[in-house]
Amino acid sequence: MTEVLSKRQEIDKQVKNKELKLTDGSLEENGDFNKFPISEKTAKHLQTIGIMKLFPIQFKTFNYIYDGCDLIGKDRTGSGKTLAFSLPILERLRRKNKYFLQKERQYPLVLCIVPTRELAIQVTNEFERFKNEPNEYRVVTVYGGSDVYLQKNKLRAGTEIVIATPGRLIDLIQRKDLILKKLKCLILDETDQMLNFGFQEEIEKVLKAIKSEFEENERSIDELQILLFSATIPSWVQKISSKFMKSDAKLIDMVQGQDNRTSKTVEHLAIYIPSKELKIPTIGDIVQVYGGCHSRTIIFTDRKDEANEVMLHGNLKVECQVLHGDIPQKQREVTFASFRNGKLKCLVATNVAARGLDIPEVDLIIQLSPPEEIEAYIHRSGRTGRAGKSGTCVTFYTRRQQDTMRKIEDLAKMTFKKVGAPQPADIVKATARDIEVSLDSVAKEVLPLFSENTKEILSRYSAEEAISRAIAIISGCTKQVKQRSLLCSMEGYLTYLIETEVEANGPGYFWNLFRNNYSNDLVESIKGMKLLSNRRGAVFDLKDDFQNVFEESIESMKKRGFKISLATKLPETDDYENSRSSGYGSRGNNRDNERFSNRRGNDRGDRNSSRGGNSNRDDNKLFITNIGDSTELELKDFVYDNHFKVNDVFIIKGPDGVSKGFGYLRFDDRETAEKALRELNGKRINNRSVRMEFAQRKN
């Protein structure tokens, strides 16, 4: 954890010193206002609100948008896409000197459609911020859950720009309260969500309505400029958008060819939690250590009831509010505004807050579960590490979610750093860090009020002890604090590391060692045994009741070639080997022991095979079971969808031609087969979790 915090400080230092390098060249060189048709008045105004240069997505798209081209813009979350589409449109309309005239009954010139009410408010605020004069143009925001008659009156009075969510937009179009015949530009922000199955029909209705009004007024739909912006634009979105856009539409992809699809300044951490009941009690410590009382945190949940439970039982030491669909719109706006301006430090939200919201300086993102869709992870983690600033994203996962975590790593081109739950020492250090920052906020005028108390305290304790006691009281650590497991975050468990010079076949090697040297009660208290990646050791949890008894034997075990120590951070483990163990549960330990003992010869033979031994294993061929009535084509698609090339697919069938539920996969080489075995084993095909192992050669 200290490493993570140090990395954040280093990145922040680089940003402050302007040492961060951009992948598309220097910001100073490419983003200078003088290189674009930006008026001197606009440039001065942008500088007064803190915008000194254009970011890459902004300077790459500016001239295309200014010239009226249709465009798809794709870049990481937090890269400045709102300015990218708004500034060139505004500058083009300003140059005409005939649009921003504050006419009564003015019909909209620009329509921006967004998926959520919160994003609509945010985009509105950005357009308002970019005004060169207070009354330069009018922006009307329309979304559900607010007074439709107030919105109708604003539209009737006249407006140049409308920001809308799909439902209320269609309602106003059908009522004839929103006239689109003068429209110059249509923007779809967060396009992959806008054109998702839930919004596709609404967007098509809007396009048809615009086309109809254009034809009635002898305008061609080709006169309409369409801009699509998002952090992720899957291929199917491009196919749908091609129905609406001109054939010469431009594609500006700032992510293509870059290894990491997530923000480069975000540290991605993963914490294994064996059951959902253990997640919420751990959240308070995570917020304290990785965020603190001076930082802003967003906790993402999949369900509304989870969000409520986190707020009520998350042991949070900072003020917290929830943001989800059951919260009244007015309260949602107040909550979001408080969080955005820093008065509220912690927000617990469902996906309603995940997309497009530009909240400055969010330091920490926590996810109770990894999202199934990679785009959701990119958008969630993208709430932090924005505009070059650093941030941390912590994701809880269970054993069943390991495949999802690997999928996120593969598709997002990033790697999770696996860490354990914060320990008492980490919590105390984090509290001291917050107190140190808070000291500067105390006015000198109030210090005399405490001078008598200070003198009395210092007469009883040394200065160091007095301050230590005060920090302990503030942090709530006045009693001995129970350790949390680094492996599963459970209180009352210590995580130990055992190392040896001998390569072990599996966790069963260490289970046998403990069973032969310790009491049944102590062995039964050991949980979550994981083999190290080098197979020369293991990490495990031990109930703290047995700490003294266990540590008494450390020296004697050392003489036998085993080094045992209390783990301070999680070591690298063999995820494939460990995925075969039953994890937590005392009865499972015995089964693990028996299974690995029985397979020792086979395991050794498998490894010898890879080194040129005489095993009967077919190194290029996998035996796959539990595939139900899947066809060979479905099985081949399953392999290709997971980014593997397979040479041959064969399903065993009965006399009736129906699959028996198992078959074979043949790959180019042993390395590909081994990787496929690690990554595909347990994944689902037709709602079944497949099982794989190496096939045997025929004698």
Side-chain angles (χ1 to χ4, degrees):
M1 281 152 225
T2 304
E3 295 174 2
V4 174
L5 296 176
S6 298
K7 182 172 182 179
R8 180 192 298 176
Q9 292 167 357
E10 178 61 27
I11 293 174
D12 287 338
K13 181 180 178 181
Q14 291 175 352
V15 173
K16 185 176 181 180
N17 295 331
K18 297 183 179 180
E19 293 175 356
L20 279 178
K21 303 299 181 183
L22 295 171
T23 57
D24 280 74
S26 168
L27 189 61
E28 292 289 334
E29 180 182 343
N30 294 320
D32 194 295
F33 293 152
N34 294 328
K35 293 180 176 292
F36 304 93
I38 298 174
S39 69
E40 184 177 347
K41 185 176 184 180
T42 298
K44 286 182 179 179
H45 174 68
L46 290 173
Q47 290 167 352
T48 63
I49 61 176
I51 301 172
M52 312 308 291
K53 304 288 178 182
L54 298 184
F55 278 21
I57 185 64
Q58 297 161 1
F59 64 66
K60 288 281 188 179
T61 60
F62 189 98
N63 288 332
Y64 290 127
I65 297 176
Y66 185 85
D67 292 340
C69 298
D70 284 4
L71 181 140
I72 299 174
K74 178 181 177 184
D75 202 0
R76 290 184 175 90
T77 297
S79 57
K81 292 187 288 295
T82 305
L83 180 66
F85 61 69
S86 59
L87 181 60
I89 292 171
L90 292 173
E91 283 300 272
R92 186 175 74 225
L93 295 176
R94 285 166 176 149
R95 289 288 171 91
K96 298 291 184 179
N97 292 323
K98 62 179 182 179
Y99 292 119
F100 295 162
L101 302 177
Q102 297 288 316
K103 293 181 182 177
E104 290 188 14
R105 303 286 297 175
Q106 169 69 55
Y107 297 134
L109 305 171
V110 178
L111 172 62
C112 180
I113 310 177
V114 297
T116 66
R117 291 172 281 191
E118 285 74 19
L119 185 53
I121 294 170
Q122 177 188 301
V123 174
T124 298
N125 291 337
E126 289 294 282
F127 269 97
E128 293 284 357
R129 198 162 68 104
F130 300 148
K131 288 181 178 178
N132 286 341
E133 299 171 0
N135 297 317
E136 183 181 19
Y137 51 79
R138 294 160 291 184
V139 185
V140 174
T141 315
V142 297
Y143 52 80
S146 56
D147 190 342
V148 66
Y149 294 102
L150 180 61
Q151 294 172 0
K152 287 167 59 175
N153 290 338
K154 288 182 178 180
L155 291 171
R156 287 172 179 171
T159 183
E160 288 74 31
I161 298 167
V162 172
I163 315 297
T165 55
R168 180 56 60 88
L169 174 64
I170 291 172
D171 181 35
L172 291 169
I173 291 174
Q174 292 174 341
R175 292 169 182 252
K176 304 295 184 183
D177 292 311
L178 178 57
I179 308 300
L180 302 172
K181 64 183 181 180
K182 297 291 186 180
L183 204 61
K184 302 290 182 183
C185 182
L186 171 67
I187 306 158
L188 301 184
D189 196 10
E190 301 297 339
T191 306
D192 50 348
Q193 176 137 323
M194 292 301 308
L195 293 183
N196 208 335
F197 297 111
F199 286 112
Q200 180 182 348
E201 185 178 346
E202 285 86 346
I203 297 304
E204 293 201 33
K205 283 183 179 179
V206 172
L207 265 294
K208 288 178 181 178
I210 295 173
K211 184 177 181 180
S212 176
E213 289 193 39
F214 273 32
E215 290 174 349
E216 289 176 6
N217 290 271
E218 299 182 346
R219 289 185 66 191
S220 168
I221 192 65
D222 288 340
E223 296 179 35
L224 179 68
Q225 181 183 25
I226 301 178
L227 306 176
L228 312 183
F229 274 83
S230 185
T232 58
I233 303 180
S235 57
W236 57 267
V237 170
Q238 296 186 35
K239 291 178 182 177
I240 296 174
S241 62
S242 66
K243 293 170 57 178
F244 308 138
M245 304 177 75
K246 291 184 269 298
S247 59
D248 60 350
K250 310 301 180 183
L251 172 62
I252 304 298
D253 188 346
M254 303 299 293
V255 180
Q256 186 178 21
Q258 298 181 23
D259 289 338
N260 195 325
R261 292 176 62 191
T262 57
S263 176
K264 293 184 176 180
T265 56
V266 175
E267 182 84 354
H268 301 272
L269 307 180
I271 297 181
Y272 170 70
I273 304 283
S275 66
K276 62 181 181 180
E277 291 78 12
L278 295 172
K279 293 180 180 180
I280 292 177
T282 312
I283 287 177
D285 293 343
I286 299 291
V287 172
Q288 179 67 25
V289 171
Y290 292 105
C293 64
H294 297 288
S295 301
R296 270 178 281 206
T297 299
I298 302 180
I299 303 169
F300 283 113
T301 66
D302 293 326
R303 303 192 314 272
K304 293 175 281 190
D305 60 320
E306 284 182 331
N308 295 335
E309 192 175 353
V310 169
M311 187 184 72
L312 294 173
H313 306 295
N315 300 323
L316 296 165
K317 296 178 182 178
V318 294
E319 185 181 353
C320 175
Q321 291 292 333
V322 295
L323 187 66
H324 56 61
D326 285 351
I327 305 299
Q329 178 60 27
K330 284 293 182 184
Q331 181 58 47
R332 288 169 65 178
E333 293 177 14
V334 171
T335 296
F336 179 69
S338 298
F339 185 72
R340 198 177 193 282
N341 63 32
K343 293 180 181 178
L344 178 66
K345 294 298 184 183
C346 184
L347 188 66
V348 186
T350 53
N351 272 336
V352 70
R355 305 180 66 89
L357 301 184
D358 184 17
I359 306 167
E361 298 178 8
V362 174
D363 300 278
L364 175 63
I365 298 295
I366 299 175
Q367 302 184 100
L368 257 64
S369 298
E372 290 293 331
E373 296 181 358
I374 180 61
E375 286 79 11
Y377 183 86
I378 291 172
H379 282 285
R380 284 181 177 185
S381 64
R383 298 307 95 214
T384 187
R386 300 174 75 80
K389 297 177 182 177
S390 64
T392 303
C393 180
V394 179
T395 303
F396 291 157
Y397 71 98
T398 62
R399 184 175 300 279
R400 290 184 176 182
Q401 294 167 331
Q402 286 178 328
D403 284 343
T404 302
M405 298 291 281
R406 284 192 286 265
K407 177 182 175 183
I408 291 172
E409 288 182 320
D410 290 343
L411 298 180
K413 307 296 188 215
M414 45 74 68
T415 302
F416 286 107
K417 180 178 180 181
K418 294 179 181 177
V419 297
Q423 300 301 303
D426 300 315
I427 297 168
V428 170
K429 287 179 182 177
T431 303
R433 173 200 66 203
D434 289 346
I435 293 171
E436 186 178 347
V437 174
S438 300
L439 291 176
D440 294 333
S441 65
V442 179
K444 290 185 177 180
E445 291 77 13
V446 305
L447 297 181
L449 298 175
F450 302 95
S451 60
E452 289 298 322
N453 301 91
T454 302
K455 291 175 183 178
E456 183 177 343
I457 291 171
L458 291 177
S459 67
R460 297 169 57 192
Y461 308 104
S462 67
E464 182 178 348
E465 183 178 354
I467 294 175
S468 296
R469 286 177 176 271
I471 292 175
I473 292 171
I474 295 171
S475 65
C477 296
T478 57
K479 307 268 184 202
Q480 179 66 37
V481 181
K482 277 187 172 290
Q483 292 277 130
R484 280 192 185 274
S485 157
L486 288 174
L487 287 172
C488 72
S489 304
M490 286 195 297
E491 278 192 350
Y493 279 85
L494 305 169
T495 303
Y496 280 93
L497 180 66
I498 181 169
E499 299 171 276
T500 178
E501 292 299 320
V502 180
E503 185 176 316
N505 296 322
Y509 176 84
F510 297 101
W511 282 119
N512 281 333
L513 176 72
F514 293 141
R515 287 174 62 83
N516 292 333
N517 290 275
Y518 297 100
S519 68
N520 287 337
D521 288 343
L522 187 148
V523 174
E524 288 292 323
S525 79
I526 295 176
K527 308 288 184 185
M529 180 82 70
K530 287 180 177 287
L531 192 68
L532 299 186
S533 57
N534 63 7
R535 306 181 75 90
R536 296 180 183 272
V539 63
F540 59 92
D541 283 341
L542 177 73
K543 197 168 179 56
D544 58 8
D545 295 345
F546 295 94
Q547 180 180 10
N548 293 335
V549 175
F550 185 71
E551 293 189 351
E552 285 175 1
S553 66
I554 287 180
E555 281 302 315
S556 64
M557 295 295 286
K558 185 176 180 181
K559 294 177 182 178
R560 298 170 57 185
F562 297 98
K563 179 184 176 183
I564 299 176
S565 59
L566 197 61
T568 56
K569 63 179 182 179
L570 279 180
E572 291 187 17
T573 58
D574 186 337
D575 289 338
Y576 169 62
E577 185 68 57
N578 296 321
S579 70
R580 294 154 56 184
S581 111
S582 61
Y584 288 79
S586 59
R587 307 306 298 176
N589 295 343
N590 295 328
R591 291 198 299 271
D592 287 343
N593 181 27
E594 294 169 6
R595 173 166 44 176
F596 286 111
S597 296
N598 292 336
R599 287 186 55 92
R600 285 179 66 176
N602 291 337
D603 288 343
R604 179 68 69 181
D606 286 348
R607 287 196 300 279
N608 286 339
S609 170
S610 67
R611 299 167 187 158
N614 296 318
S615 171
N616 200 37
R617 189 182 87 176
D618 188 333
D619 286 340
N620 294 4
K621 191 175 180 181
L622 297 181
F623 179 58
I624 181 170
T625 63
N626 199 36
I627 59 174
D629 57 358
S630 301
T631 66
E632 289 174 344
L633 180 60
E634 288 174 328
L635 189 54
K636 185 176 290 187
D637 286 343
F638 164 74
V639 178
Y640 282 143
D641 287 346
N642 285 281
H643 312 292
F644 286 98
K645 180 183 177 183
V646 62
N647 280 349
D648 187 32
V649 173
F650 181 71
I651 292 178
I652 308 300
K653 300 175 183 176
D656 56 358
V658 177
S659 168
K660 288 189 174 183
F662 58 89
Y664 295 92
L665 306 172
R666 182 173 291 282
F667 298 88
D668 278 336
D669 48 53
R670 175 177 56 82
E671 288 76 14
T672 304
E674 287 181 341
K675 186 177 181 182
L677 178 61
R678 289 195 302 271
E679 298 188 14
L680 300 184
N681 201 16
K683 289 201 172 184
R684 301 182 75 83
I685 179 171
N686 291 335
N687 295 320
R688 289 173 173 266
S689 295
V690 303
R691 295 289 178 265
M692 293 183 180
E693 61 184 44
F694 276 102
Q696 297 297 307
R697 300 182 190 276
K698 293 182 179 180
N699 293 324

